């Protein structure tokens, strides 16, 4: 974990759930034994996306909502890299929702970690696509609060075709373990992490989650059973399921492309392509 440290100090608010997620991420990477030069961490924009500034590996902070297309490019250029995309609920379910759906149906071998605090934190507290109905924020004032149906990330991931879907919380002692399982899964893995924003979301707090979450575990729960997963995915409010919610096998996009069957594109010679004629064509 020491090797993953950088000299930059996180600028998150004191008590923010992002600290727990950062620690769990470093723990998971060190447990996986992935060398820093074999890992690419791709984030969007937002408080949570700053996580790429604090981990000593290949990393890029992209545009708002664009972590997944950039992660897709990284993976296709060098499919031997471990690729983790990360960002918030606003970044992924707002601006990046189209990318989320298409990455899931393509089933690239990427892990997507979402810090879900149900609010836009970096821009100081506007309702996000996962804010509950009635949530009072700067853009959704009292007495009505938010009137829009929130996106349930787990349901959305299942519908879109993600082949591994899990949920945890920023304070869950097993968070790093779920990250390890998500990265080890061959295919698009989505981990929804319930993350308290102590500055702008005073409803969905550590205590609020603690009182509601319950863990799905074998033998009572079978993550390979889609019908069971679909049934629990809709639960929200008084009871919120956490754990590995769904797991299946499907051919990844990388495995289905003959161009990638040999070496990664990044290691293939460029002389097979005439850049000059390509440039002439585009001129
Ligand atoms: Fe964390 Fe919220 Fe502060 Fe952002 S605004 S750093 S999400 S507590």
């Amino acid at each position: 974990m020491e090797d993953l440290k950088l000299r930059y100090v996180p600028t998150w608010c004191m008590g923010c759930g992002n600290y727990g997620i950062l620690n769990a991420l470093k723990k998971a990477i060190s447990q996986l034994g992935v060398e820093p030069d074999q890992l690419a961490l791709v984030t969007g924009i937002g408080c949570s996306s700053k996580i790429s500034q604090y981990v000593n590996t290949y990393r890029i902070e992209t545009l708002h909502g664009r972590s997944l297309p950039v992660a897709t490019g990284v993976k296709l250029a060098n499919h031997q890299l471990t690729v983790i995309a990360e960002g918030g609920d606003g970044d992924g379910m707002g601006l990046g929702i189209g990318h989320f759906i298409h990455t899931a149906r393509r089933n690239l071998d990427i892990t997507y970690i979402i810090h879900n605090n149900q609010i836009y934190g970096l821009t100081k507290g506007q309702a996000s696509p996962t804010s509950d109905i009635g949530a009072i924020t700067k853009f959704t004032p009292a007495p009505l609060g938010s009137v829009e149906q929130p996106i349930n990330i787990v349901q959305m991931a299942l519908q879109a075709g993600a082949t591994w879907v899990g949920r945890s919380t920023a304070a869950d002692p097993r968070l790093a373990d779920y990250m390890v399982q998500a990265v080890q899964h061959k295919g698009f893995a989505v981990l929804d992490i319930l993350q308290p924003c102590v500055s702008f979301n005073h409803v969905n707090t550590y205590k609020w989650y603690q009182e509601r979450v319950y863990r799905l575990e074998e033998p009572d729960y079978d993550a390979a059973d889609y019908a069971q997963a679909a049934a629990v995915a809709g639960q929200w409010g008084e009871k919120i399921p956490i754990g590995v919610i769904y797991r299946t096998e499907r051919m990844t996009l990388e495995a289905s492309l003959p161009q990638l069957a040999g070496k990664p594109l990044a290691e293939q010679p460029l002389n097979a392509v005439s850049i000059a004629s390509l440039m002439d064509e585009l001129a």
Side-chain angles (χ1 to χ4, degrees):
M1 285 180 72
E2 279 302 306
D3 293 344
L4 295 168
K5 261 192 188 162
L6 285 167
R7 62 191 166 89
Y8 310 112
V9 178
T11 55
W12 296 313
C13 310
M14 197 78 84
C16 174
N18 282 321
Y19 288 100
I21 300 175
L22 174 62
N23 279 340
L25 181 67
K26 287 184 184 166
K27 196 171 161 193
I29 295 169
S30 88
Q31 278 178 13
L32 284 159
V34 182
E35 293 297 325
D37 66 353
Q38 290 303 306
L39 173 70
L41 180 59
V42 184
T43 61
I45 295 290
C47 292
S48 48
S49 288
K50 289 197 222 169
I51 200 164
S52 57
Q53 298 174 16
Y54 310 132
V55 185
N56 184 20
T57 185
Y58 284 125
R59 56 197 193 277
I60 177 166
E61 208 168 342
T62 65
L63 300 176
H64 211 351
R66 311 301 169 207
S67 63
L68 285 175
V70 174
T72 297
V74 172
K75 190 70 187 181
L76 291 179
N78 188 350
H79 61 284
Q80 287 177 352
L81 287 180
T82 296
V83 179
I84 298 176
E86 200 153 349
D89 46 296
D91 187 76
M93 296 298 113
L95 294 89
I97 186 73
H99 301 306
F100 177 72
I101 291 168
H102 294 299
T103 312
R105 72 183 184 82
R106 288 176 188 137
N107 197 34
L108 283 129
D109 185 16
I110 290 174
T111 300
Y112 187 33
I113 296 173
I114 306 171
H115 304 210
N116 181 5
N117 58 16
Q118 302 181 251
I119 202 132
Y120 282 95
L122 192 68
T123 48
K124 310 279 178 269
Q126 298 81 15
S128 87
T130 60
S131 296
D132 289 323
I133 288 179
I136 312 284
T137 72
K138 287 181 179 164
F139 277 6
T140 56
L144 276 183
S146 176
V147 293
E148 296 177 11
Q149 187 66 30
I151 288 176
N152 176 322
I153 294 174
V154 164
Q155 271 185 324
M156 183 66 79
L158 281 176
Q159 286 282 321
T163 48
W164 189 100
V165 182
R167 184 190 279 131
S168 183
T169 74
D172 185 354
R174 288 174 58 182
L175 176 55
D177 177 43
Y178 294 131
M179 289 177 173
V180 167
Q181 290 186 52
V183 172
Q184 283 176 334
H185 172 75
K186 257 292 175 243
F188 190 56
V190 178
L191 181 58
D192 174 26
I193 304 176
L194 307 175
Q195 178 240 307
C197 167
V198 294
S199 293
F200 298 109
N201 186 338
H202 302 299
V203 173
N204 308 110
T205 59
Y206 288 97
K207 187 166 176 287
W208 193 92
Y209 289 125
Q210 199 179 20
E211 288 169 352
R212 287 163 175 79
V213 296
Y214 75 99
R215 202 177 300 279
L216 300 170
E217 298 215 70
E218 290 175 345
D220 299 330
Y221 183 77
D222 179 8
D225 182 344
Y226 186 89
Q228 227 179 335
V232 298
Q235 288 181 354
W236 185 263
E238 291 312 306
K239 282 182 81 180
I240 302 175
I242 59 170
V244 180
I245 292 171
Y246 184 58
R247 184 176 46 222
T248 191
E249 300 290 328
R250 200 173 82 231
M251 188 182 275
T252 62
L253 184 76
E254 309 89 281
S256 64
L257 294 176
Q259 304 91 317
L260 305 183
K263 291 178 178 176
L265 288 183
E267 291 174 19
Q268 293 183 30
L270 271 179
N271 56 12
V273 181
S274 167
I275 299 291
S277 63
L278 190 64
M279 295 303 284
D280 286 347
E281 195 183 315
L282 295 172

